Amino acid sequence: MSTHTRQALVMIRTNLSSLPRRSAISASMALSVALVVCVLAGFLSMAKGFETALSGAGSPAVAVVLGGGTNQETGSDIPATVIRTLDAMTGDLGVARDAGGKLVSSREIVAPVDLSQRTMALRGMDAAGPSIRDGITISAGRIFTPGAREIVAGNRLAEEFGLQVGDTVRLGAVDWTVVGHFSAHGSAFESELWADLEAVRAAFDRQGQVQSLKLRLADPASLKRLQGALATITETPLVAVSEADLYAAQSGRTASLIRLFGWPVALLMAVGATAGALNTMTSSVSDRTVEIATVRALGFSRLSAFLGTWVEAVVLAGAGVFLGLLASWLIFNGWQASTIGANNARMAFQLAVTPDVLLTAGLLGLAIGILGGALPALAATRLPLTAALRARG
Amino acid sequence: MTQTPAPYIALSGVRKAYRIGGEMMPIFAGLDLAIPRGDFVAVMGPSGSGKSTLLNMLAGIDRPDAGTLSIGTSRLDQMGEAARSAWRAHNMGIVFQFYNLLPMLTAAENVELPLLLKPLSRKERRMRVEKVLDLVGLSGREKQYPAMMSGGQQQRIGIARAIVSDPGLLLCDEPTGDLDRKSADEVLDMLRFLNRELEKTIVMVTHDPQAALYARRTLHLDKGDFVEEKRAA
Ligand SMILES: Nc1ncnc2c1ncn2[C@@H]1O[C@H](COP(=O)(O)OP(=O)(O)OP(=O)(O)O)[C@@H](O)[C@H]1O
Ligand SMILES: [Mg+2]
């Protein structure tokens, strides 16, 4: 071990063991760092959780066709003639066909419904709807029967509203029976209610309407061929996107919004915490003036005085980071949040305190110590020795 | 070759002033001083006469504004802060009036501090610490903290720390200023022993005429100059 390392180590050790003399102000620095870390981790895990919920929802092997010049389900309308034309097309559309040669597709509409005074999405779909999607399993009961006023509820929604299989709920003007629950690996679909297309059309007076057409692609790369086929239909502008892209675009917007709001708040608080750290470390240096001057008089280097002080700041910030991350994890991880998602319906998701969230928030916390400690550490190296040694006399 | 060797410590035309308020207050306006190796000098004088300032310059903690200051072969007046810091680590030991022990370190750890600046193994350091603690009559107290010791014991730890790296020069600023007569005499006996037996050159600032009697000679500092010299019998 070099003499420089030994000097620095003993300075760091003596500083840290003198911390109890300054316990109040040191603890306040650690706590303010913890608070900043907690706030940033909260926002980031919210954005992360939102992304996770929506990214799970989309499959690259499912195409969503939207009509009327919009690229979201809300406001989209596909005329029945378009669907007939598409069905009549022979040849390779890039879409999977069933044994009878028909396109594997599901026509869908979404009706906003009130459930315990909150707006949720009721999706009407063809029988193929659930199976077209990836990763959907019926976790309780059974799927709805075509034509019947039956609904299956996403697991998260069912849990939140306490919907049991066999319950009756009033949606719109009519009663529906809950016949099953479905799981979608925690994705946004779990915040939806699913029912038969005709039943939803009838109950909400939307006969003949189709908002979106879901098609099972032969493989993800064949979306291009479908888009080519759609381009030959000219009566209304049609777009076909992969389900994955549709939800990614949506989640991207909202997640960026959350981050756009979260970062300035966290950074502003970090500036405050840095000022606090500066103050704490300045008082630490003045508390240790005689000790620093003494070892400097013995021949310790300026560098050791700098490192001793700086490391103390970083250790305090590190303690704050640890506390903040622990608190974030305990508080936020798995916390249910909700937002207005697609179709103006409420979408529930879980905050996700992932390693990269912890890393980012932790680094911000450490930066507070690194920046806030640097100036006082520099001051420790510039301590006028004669004055400091006189101070005791 | 000259018959009389150059003095160990030599100050010539040293000037030093401090800015107090807006004005420069001269402390020394051309101080000359020569101390041979192996001397034990007591420096006395009224408060504010510049005793500590002189000692700090000898310690390489403070710097003359002008003039030359050499100790051994080193020109302290020409060295920058880093060089003086390294010089301090290897050439002198310093004893403070208020001991200046680090309260969170044990006696042995306090004594070990100057050794951390040298390329010594842990074992070598421990042996040296034990040796000097024995020398100052405090062996067995390695693990004690300064707060548990009397003033006299703390100052002996301070002396142990000053001599542990075996420097030729020992600088003491009122080493007995905070001690009762009995503890003071123990500390002074020790300094005399270090001078007589281990041939340390010692410069000791003191207010106490009794303490000055332990030195080989006494310099009186007044109004920035030495006004009188008294040799011990
Ligand atoms: N760092 C400093 N800044 C400003 N003035 C100083 C500084 N150090 C010493 N002085 C002034 O220089 C003069 C000499 O101070 P010094 O400490 O050397 O005196 P002293 O002889 O040791 O006094 P005492 O017996 O009280 O310890 C005093 O007037 C003091 O106020
Ligand atoms: Mg003094």
Side-chain angles (χ1 to χ4, degrees):
Chain A
M1 208 188 296
S2 82
T3 59
H4 291 289
T5 320
R6 280 205 300 254
Q7 287 177 56
L9 284 182
V10 76
M11 287 302 270
I12 291 164
R13 213 189 100 210
T14 54
N15 285 8
L16 294 182
S17 52
S18 71
L19 270 177
R21 295 202 308 238
R22 313 180 283 281
S23 52
I25 193 160
S26 304
S28 84
M29 171 176 161
L31 283 180
S32 64
V33 169
L35 198 66
V36 171
V37 168
C38 226
V39 166
L40 184 62
F43 279 113
L44 293 183
S45 60
M46 191 183 286
K48 197 66 173 188
F50 190 77
E51 276 173 348
T52 309
L54 282 182
S55 71
S59 160
V62 175
V64 182
V65 178
L66 301 168
T70 174
N71 51 9
Q72 11 179 11
E73 232 176 346
T74 317
S76 161
D77 179 61
I78 304 176
T81 51
V82 168
I83 294 175
R84 274 198 297 276
T85 314
L86 202 61
D87 276 338
M89 283 185 181
T90 50
D92 185 7
L93 302 183
V95 178
R97 292 181 184 272
D98 62 16
K102 278 174 51 73
L103 297 174
V104 179
S105 69
S106 167
R107 299 163 296 163
E108 304 191 352
I109 61 172
V110 175
V113 294
D114 279 347
L115 207 59
S116 306
Q117 290 170 355
R118 275 187 266 167
T119 306
M120 306 304 296
L122 171 63
R123 183 179 291 274
M125 54 175 68
D126 281 328
S131 57
I132 279 179
R133 291 169 165 82
D134 277 336
I136 304 291
T137 51
I138 297 296
S139 52
R142 56 172 175 82
I143 196 73
F144 53 82
T145 344
R149 282 200 200 124
E150 291 177 348
I151 51 177
V152 287
N155 273 346
R156 201 194 299 278
L157 179 144
E159 191 184 321
E160 207 179 336
F161 292 91
L163 290 187
Q164 305 290 333
V165 174
D167 284 357
T168 302
V169 284
R170 196 167 183 84
L171 301 176
V174 295
D175 286 336
W176 300 74
T177 309
V178 180
V179 296
H181 293 165
F182 68 89
S183 134
H185 299 306
S187 80
F189 287 136
E190 285 193 15
S191 292
E192 292 187 343
L193 293 164
W194 288 353
D196 175 60
L197 175 67
E198 291 307 331
V200 175
R201 280 173 164 175
F204 292 86
D205 199 19
R206 292 173 63 173
Q207 270 79 8
Q209 264 191 27
V210 175
Q211 263 175 277
S212 67
L213 184 67
K214 303 270 152 76
L215 298 155
R216 183 87 207 170
L217 292 170
D219 66 83
S222 51
L223 180 65
K224 279 262 173 300
R225 249 172 291 148
L226 175 63
Q227 285 166 337
L230 289 175
T232 64
I233 302 172
T234 49
E235 56 184 297
T236 183
L238 295 169
V239 291
V241 292
S242 82
E243 195 185 42
D245 288 347
L246 181 72
Y247 284 105
Q250 241 170 47
S251 73
R253 273 195 301 276
T254 309
S256 319
L257 210 69
I258 295 171
R259 292 200 177 98
L260 212 67
F261 182 69
W263 269 109
V265 170
L267 285 180
L268 215 68
M269 289 180 63
V271 170
T274 305
L278 210 73
N279 184 33
T280 302
M281 294 318 298
T282 301
S283 80
S284 160
V285 171
S286 78
D287 177 53
R288 292 180 293 110
T289 298
V290 175
E291 287 154 32
I292 296 170
T294 301
V295 296
R296 292 272 292 113
L298 297 180
F300 275 53
S301 65
R302 281 192 155 153
L303 183 66
S304 68
F306 180 88
L307 286 178
T309 308
W310 203 41
V311 169
E312 177 184 329
V314 174
V315 164
L316 284 177
V321 165
F322 177 77
L323 267 180
L325 293 183
L326 188 73
S328 322
W329 198 77
L330 290 177
I331 299 169
F332 298 134
N333 203 28
W335 185 345
Q336 293 281 347
S338 65
T339 181
I340 303 303
N343 307 308
N344 292 327
R346 232 173 113 266
M347 191 199 98
F349 63 96
Q350 281 191 340
L351 270 65
V353 185
T354 54
D356 63 323
V357 166
L358 293 177
L359 187 72
T360 310
L363 285 179
L364 179 69
L366 282 183
I368 293 169
I370 289 168
L371 293 179
L375 269 179
L378 210 62
T381 71
R382 314 239 146 224
L383 215 69
L385 295 189
T386 53
L389 291 171
R390 286 164 68 83
R392 197 81 152 256
Chain B
M1 280 287 153
T2 50
Q3 287 306 101
T4 44
Y8 178 48
I9 299 173
L11 280 75
S12 150
V14 165
R15 294 170 165 274
K16 183 72 187 173
Y18 280 117
R19 182 178 296 279
I20 294 167
E23 277 175 60
M24 293 305 282
M25 267 271 295
I27 313 295
F28 301 122
L31 187 69
D32 300 322
L33 175 64
I35 298 174
R37 202 180 284 275
D39 206 352
F40 183 174
V41 179
V43 177
M44 298 190 74
S47 187
S49 56
K51 303 184 297 294
S52 295
T53 303
L54 171 66
L55 207 72
N56 285 340
M57 289 193 299
L58 294 180
I61 291 169
D62 211 345
R63 253 180 118 167
D65 297 336
T68 62
L69 162 50
S70 65
I71 298 180
T73 53
S74 304
R75 280 287 298 270
L76 284 181
D77 56 290
Q78 293 178 334
M79 291 177 168
E81 166 51 38
R84 279 184 286 127
S85 178
W87 182 86
R88 289 198 290 272
H90 295 103
N91 296 280
M92 66 96 199
I94 186 163
V95 178
F96 303 91
Q97 177 177 356
F98 299 100
Y99 331 130
N100 287 32
L101 302 178
L102 271 57
M104 48 279 173
L105 297 184
T106 62
E109 288 166 342
N110 266 288
V111 173
E112 191 191 15
L113 286 172
L115 295 181
L116 298 176
L117 306 172
K118 301 193 164 238
L120 296 171
S121 72
R122 182 186 293 266
K123 192 169 159 237
E124 284 171 306
R125 296 200 302 265
R126 201 184 53 229
M127 275 166 47
R128 288 229 210 169
V129 168
E130 271 170 22
K131 205 176 113 203
V132 289
L133 280 177
D134 190 43
L135 198 69
V136 300
L138 288 175
S139 48
R141 304 238 178 205
E142 285 82 358
K143 296 239 149 59
Q144 279 193 11
Y145 286 89
M148 301 188 296
M149 298 182 160
S150 72
Q153 288 170 334
Q154 290 189 50
Q155 193 58 300
R156 282 190 277 159
I157 296 291
I159 291 172
R161 182 176 66 188
I163 60 172
V164 72
S165 55
D166 202 23
L169 176 63
L170 210 54
L171 301 168
C172 315
D173 196 348
E174 304 191 33
T176 59
D178 213 40
L179 298 178
D180 59 54
R181 188 73 258 158
K182 186 170 163 293
S183 309
D185 284 333
E186 282 171 13
V187 163
L188 289 161
D189 273 330
M190 196 162 294
L191 291 178
R192 183 159 59 189
F193 170 83
L194 291 171
N195 175 248
R196 299 275 148 98
E197 307 301 324
L198 302 183
E199 293 166 354
K200 307 276 181 215
T201 308
I202 300 178
V203 180
M204 173 179 74
V205 166
T206 185
H207 273 125
D208 176 10
Q210 295 246 61
L213 294 178
Y214 284 79
R216 290 178 193 265
R217 58 177 175 136
T218 303
L219 299 175
H220 282 266
L221 199 55
D222 201 8
K223 301 198 178 69
D225 216 339
F226 295 110
V227 291
E228 182 188 342
E229 182 168 330
K230 223 166 43 186
R231 279 199 175 269

